[in-house]
Amino acid sequence: WAFIMTTLIATMITELLIEIKSGMLHVSPSTKKYQIRAVFSLLFQGLVPALVYVIPILCELAIYAYAVIVGYEVCTDNETASTISALLFSLIFTHTFAHSVTILACAPPYRKLIASFAYRIFTMELIPLIGGTLFAVLSVIGLLINFIVLYAILKGRLLFKGQSSSVYIFSFSSIAMDNLMIFIHVIYQIPAIYAQSWLFEGGWQAPPVVALSYVFMYCWYYTTLSHILISVTRLIAIVRWSSLTNGRAIALVVLTHSLSLGGAAFSQFFSPCCKLSFNYIVYSYVYETIHGTPNYSNDIIDLPFNTFSSVCSLACYTSIIVYMHWMGRAVSGEAAFKRRQQEYVYFVFISYAMQFAAMAAFYSISWLSFRILPPLVGNSPQVWLYGITMLFVLLNSWSNAFVYLVNNAEVS
């Protein structure tokens, strides 16, 4: 029966190939091309499943011939022949699977349907799991590194130790704020991504979401202002060969906190539009815009302050590099002056200025990604790409402590 059906199918396909090659003389090239593709698709759908039948049967016939030649008893005692025969017989039952695979390979509508279903499963199940896990791992690492550095600063009594104390006062406050920022991601944003839910009734307007978004903006504004504060004070300290007193450093930190709290209150509560909020849908943060109303929070505070912070840091650290280069060339032959330059200026430059420059670079990448990704991603289904911003924000939140561990001998 299989031989008869195979012969009929082979005859039919042969007739089709002859017709396409010599019988379709007056059809357009595009029609002929379509017909050729259809015939080869049909051939492929018939050939692959047929091979699943034909190959095992031919092999079984070969084993049968071997059994006839050597004898059935000898063949039965041959474990290799028995195993191969059983495997070949099992292979026949994969005919249905082979037939389904060839249909999927040859039918574009089926391929599109399967691809759409797989993408839906990927976006709804796997991406939240992968993204949430990645953010959780980064957060745990960040909290550990930040706590280690904070403990080292306190244990080593570096907050009020010598001329470099102002640096540690600024850094201690910044790292503490970084920990707070990571913590609010851990208690809300990451669980929301896992659950693909706002977690609270009312969505982004729910009081807990509003409160946590306010804390996030408070932390972010402090980070923004702290980069301005640290870069300017580093430049002044190196140029004037002196550091801030501890009292002035603490006063500047208190002022920075006050401005950050006020800025967050304006952008989140008093500005007509638009507050920034956590959003699990895009794995990041979004402005809750109002149609027809300008984004005052962004236009008045966020964009100007972010830009000024990065530009100010770049200008200050570039000035430090230029100044140090000039000082290196202007050194006199006096041994005392050379020793002073080597022991103090270069130490301050390498250990403090450049590590703060690295932190400023992390910060700039974070807020630039928030500006660049929307026009690149747009309304694309791959909304999870917005999570790159959150990834950089988390990395920025422990870059300060990480640079201290790697580059600061006292903390290490």
Side-chain angles (χ1 to χ4, degrees):
W1 175 252
F3 176 76
I4 295 173
M5 292 301 298
T6 302
T7 303
L8 290 175
I9 292 173
T11 303
M12 181 183 67
I13 293 175
T14 302
E15 290 293 331
L16 285 172
L17 292 174
I18 294 173
E19 176 66 19
I20 289 174
K21 186 175 180 179
S22 58
M24 303 176 62
L25 301 177
H26 303 290
V27 298
S28 64
S30 59
T31 302
K32 191 171 183 179
K33 182 178 179 180
Y34 173 79
Q35 293 294 341
I36 293 173
R37 184 183 300 173
V39 170
F40 277 100
S41 176
L42 180 63
L43 178 63
F44 183 73
Q45 292 181 58
L47 181 61
V48 173
L51 290 175
V52 178
Y53 272 134
V54 173
I55 293 176
I57 290 174
L58 291 177
C59 292
E60 291 285 3
L61 289 174
I63 294 175
Y64 176 74
Y66 170 76
V68 171
I69 295 172
V70 302
Y72 291 110
E73 294 181 358
V74 176
C75 186
T76 303
D77 295 335
N78 191 324
E79 294 183 0
T80 303
S82 300
T83 303
I84 294 175
S85 178
L87 291 175
L88 290 171
F89 189 76
S90 300
L91 184 62
I92 295 176
F93 291 98
T94 63
H95 170 268
T96 304
F97 174 75
H99 185 253
S100 300
V101 171
T102 54
I103 290 177
L104 289 176
C106 298
Y110 286 111
R111 291 201 303 269
K112 290 181 180 179
L113 180 63
I114 295 298
S116 176
F117 178 76
Y119 176 77
R120 192 180 301 113
I121 294 297
F122 181 68
T123 54
M124 294 178 62
E125 302 294 339
L126 293 182
I127 289 183
L129 179 62
I130 295 172
T133 303
L134 175 62
F135 296 142
V137 170
L138 290 177
S139 298
V140 171
I141 294 174
L143 289 172
L144 289 175
I145 292 178
N146 286 346
F147 275 122
I148 289 172
V149 173
L150 290 176
Y151 175 78
I153 292 175
L154 291 175
K155 187 70 173 179
R157 299 180 180 180
L158 301 176
L159 281 177
F160 304 102
K161 181 181 179 180
Q163 281 187 313
S164 61
S165 294
S166 62
V167 174
Y168 290 111
I169 292 172
F170 293 148
S171 298
F172 187 89
S173 180
S174 296
I175 295 174
M177 293 298 290
D178 289 338
N179 255 3
L180 178 59
M181 180 177 287
I182 296 175
F183 181 70
I184 60 177
H185 282 82
V186 170
I187 64 173
Y188 176 72
Q189 180 72 336
I190 294 175
I193 290 174
Y194 272 124
Q196 287 295 282
S197 167
W198 290 103
L199 301 183
F200 301 100
E201 187 175 348
W204 64 271
Q205 294 180 328
V209 180
V210 173
L212 290 171
S213 298
Y214 170 76
V215 175
F216 170 76
M217 292 308 296
Y218 163 49
C219 295
W220 181 254
Y221 287 148
Y222 183 87
T223 301
T224 301
L225 294 175
S226 67
H227 282 295
I228 300 173
L229 172 64
I230 292 174
S231 61
V232 172
T233 54
R234 283 300 88 212
L235 177 62
I236 294 174
I238 290 177
V239 172
R240 296 184 58 186
W241 299 72
S242 62
S243 298
L244 290 173
T245 62
N246 294 337
R248 289 181 180 179
I250 293 173
L252 288 174
V253 168
V254 172
L255 177 62
T256 304
H257 279 285
S258 301
L259 292 175
S260 302
L261 287 168
F266 173 80
S267 66
Q268 297 297 101
F269 301 118
F270 301 116
S271 173
C273 183
C274 305
K275 66 175 63 176
L276 193 77
S277 175
F278 287 109
N279 193 305
Y280 74 90
I281 298 174
V282 296
Y283 303 83
S284 185
Y285 330 95
V286 297
Y287 284 111
E288 303 298 343
T289 58
I290 301 174
H291 181 70
T293 304
N295 190 343
Y296 293 104
S297 297
N298 175 67
D299 298 341
I300 296 176
I301 297 183
D302 294 350
L303 184 58
F305 273 56
N306 291 338
T307 305
F308 181 74
S309 178
S310 295
V311 171
C312 179
S313 298
L314 177 63
C316 289
Y317 295 124
T318 302
S319 300
I320 289 174
I321 294 173
V322 173
Y323 178 77
M324 293 303 299
H325 180 71
W326 176 79
M327 286 295 296
R329 298 181 60 182
V331 171
S332 66
E334 299 178 5
F337 183 82
K338 286 185 178 180
R339 185 168 58 252
R340 186 184 183 188
Q341 181 195 37
Q342 293 173 353
E343 294 179 354
Y344 180 78
V345 180
Y346 277 107
F347 175 77
V348 173
F349 171 57
I350 295 174
S351 299
Y352 297 140
M354 293 313 297
Q355 76 183 30
F356 286 122
M359 299 169 199
F362 274 105
Y363 163 80
S364 299
I365 294 173
S366 299
W367 75 263
L368 284 173
S369 69
F370 182 75
R371 306 289 172 178
I372 293 173
L373 284 174
L376 292 179
V377 179
N379 295 323
S380 168
Q382 288 81 19
V383 293
W384 52 269
L385 289 173
Y386 288 109
I388 295 174
T389 296
M390 182 171 161
L391 179 69
F392 283 131
V393 168
L394 291 175
L395 289 174
N396 176 67
S397 296
W398 51 276
S399 63
N400 193 340
F402 180 76
V403 171
Y404 261 96
L405 284 178
V406 172
N407 197 49
N408 190 290
E410 290 180 304
V411 172
S412 301

